[in-house]
Amino acid sequence: MSNEAFWINGIGKETRVGPAELKNPAYGQVLIKAIAVPVLPGEWKIHAGLIPIPLNLPTVIGLVVAGFVEKVGFGVTRFKAGDRVAANSTGVATNDPRFGSLQKYVIAPETLTMKIGDTPFEEAATLVSGWAAYSALFRALPLEPPINGQITKKNEKVLIWGASSVLGSVAVQVAEAAGYNVVGVASGRNASLVKSLGNVQFVDRTSATAADDVLALGPYKAVFAAQDDAEDQVKIGKVLAAQGGGTFNSTAGNRSGVTLPEGVTATFHQYLFDFLKPEEREFTKWVWWGHFEEAIISRRLTPIPWEVRGDLTAVAGAWESLRNGSVSGKRLIIKPNQE
């Protein structure tokens, strides 16, 4: 058994696929044979230096993996070799290539690993790459989570901007499961996709009247920008200002060059940290071994479409597709190992 990884040699420098050390999982960790790994938009931005994360180079990045448990470390009781799982490996948060998911064998913490039952690896990898929706909705905003799996309908609306992205699509469905009425904003070409996620009111973000259309469907208890640019933030600012001001959570925070109306603010939240804090142990368990896991095993969550691009040698091409904007309404998947 040998390991191979997609290596970043330096910021903006040429990447390579090459050998990687294969280490045993430590206490509380699992070693996963990677079958499906989603390629995430933030990865090419890290490589390009647009997201200034300090890295010990050369390194392996990537956050999400689906595959088989190969080995478990001491203290792991929930998983065993052969289990079909998906995980957040913590990637760049650890600044350690062992945890980067763009390789054949990935180490991940037991606490951020879930069982996936018979769910196809590609589907599980696509859905699990929306893990941050739980942190965004129930910690950053924060909304009221579903209690004991029961949906308690609330006469309140949540606006999800970027609803056709993986993160946005998961957020739409989780917010609905918590009892909120959802308005989803995305490009008109992805209208059918967004509407398939549930009882969602759709608004075309490319429409000249998008802000007014969104405002007409409000007011909103909370606003989550799962995928937004500067122009989108101007529109969100207009909506919130019209309903008296407020705060929205964005994966990018307040975009450079965007001046929001008085009384409107954009916040940035370190979603992963919510699952790494000792005081959030129960929340982490509820998400990864409870609500999220159950929703994936039972196939209650609808994934956006995915496209398999190939093995590790296809990562650079997938990054380029994301960089040039030729991918919309789907997730690109890499297959480091065959099943």
Side-chain angles (χ1 to χ4, degrees):
M1 187 170 70
S2 60
N3 196 19
E4 192 174 41
F6 180 80
W7 289 94
I8 291 178
N9 295 314
I11 300 302
K13 294 183 178 180
E14 188 174 351
T15 55
R16 64 181 171 88
V17 174
E21 188 174 4
L22 181 60
K23 291 192 174 182
N24 289 320
Y27 182 90
Q29 296 175 346
V30 296
L31 178 66
I32 299 171
K33 181 180 180 179
I35 302 300
V37 175
V39 181
L40 308 180
E43 294 166 1
W44 75 262
K45 296 177 183 178
I46 291 172
H47 176 238
L50 299 178
I51 299 178
I53 296 178
L55 299 174
N56 293 325
L57 298 166
T59 194
V60 181
I61 62 173
L63 270 179
V64 177
V65 58
F68 295 102
V69 173
E70 188 72 26
K71 294 180 181 179
V72 299
F74 183 74
V76 173
T77 59
R78 198 169 189 269
F79 304 99
K80 65 182 185 305
D83 283 348
R84 303 176 83 254
V85 299
N88 181 328
S89 63
T90 69
V92 295
T94 57
N95 204 2
D96 186 329
R98 293 176 301 161
F99 300 93
S101 62
L102 292 171
Q103 57 187 316
K104 287 188 172 183
Y105 292 92
V106 185
I107 289 179
E110 178 188 29
T111 53
L112 302 187
T113 301
M114 66 167 69
K115 298 177 181 179
I116 62 171
D118 295 327
T119 303
F121 289 115
E122 297 85 357
E123 179 177 333
T126 298
L127 286 168
V128 174
S129 60
W131 58 271
Y134 282 87
S135 175
L137 295 175
F138 305 126
R139 286 298 182 265
L141 289 176
L143 298 174
E144 181 184 331
I147 306 300
N148 298 324
Q150 300 299 312
I151 297 178
T152 302
K153 291 299 294 182
K154 304 171 180 66
N155 190 28
E156 296 172 317
K157 287 189 175 182
V158 174
L159 176 63
I160 309 293
W161 202 286
S164 63
S165 66
V166 172
L167 178 53
S169 67
V170 173
V172 165
Q173 296 175 83
V174 174
E176 276 209 326
Y180 294 95
N181 299 313
V182 177
V183 174
V185 180
S187 172
R189 60 183 170 177
N190 293 320
S192 296
L193 167 62
V194 174
K195 292 176 182 178
S196 73
L197 300 175
N199 186 25
V200 186
Q201 292 179 286
F202 176 79
V203 174
D204 183 354
R205 67 181 287 272
T206 65
S207 169
T209 60
D212 293 330
D213 295 341
V214 169
L215 185 58
L217 294 172
Y220 300 97
K221 167 75 173 179
V223 179
F224 174 42
Q227 187 178 66
D228 61 320
D229 58 22
E231 184 179 348
D232 293 325
Q233 291 201 346
V234 170
K235 295 174 183 177
I236 294 171
K238 179 180 178 180
V239 171
L240 286 176
Q243 66 175 44
T247 298
F248 67 96
N249 179 250
S250 169
T251 57
N254 196 162
R255 293 277 183 178
S256 176
V258 175
T259 301
L260 296 170
E262 184 176 354
V264 177
T265 56
T267 63
F268 174 76
H269 191 79
Q270 292 284 6
Y271 305 119
L272 182 57
F273 289 179
D274 286 331
F275 301 113
L276 300 179
K277 299 174 182 175
E279 62 269 27
E280 292 284 17
R281 186 170 302 168
E282 289 305 309
F283 175 66
T284 300
K285 183 177 179 181
W286 173 75
V287 173
W288 288 92
W289 297 354
H291 194 274
F292 202 14
E293 180 184 75
E294 292 165 5
I296 288 178
I297 290 176
S298 66
R299 314 291 288 277
R300 285 192 289 109
L301 285 178
T302 299
I304 71 170
W306 65 82
E307 176 188 330
V308 176
R309 280 294 180 94
D311 58 17
L312 290 169
T313 61
V315 175
W319 280 3
E320 176 58 22
S321 295
L322 294 173
R323 187 196 66 77
N324 65 32
S326 62
V327 177
S328 178
K330 66 180 176 183
R331 177 62 87 208
L332 302 183
I333 298 290
I334 296 298
K335 304 272 285 183
N337 291 283
Q338 296 300 314
E339 296 178 43

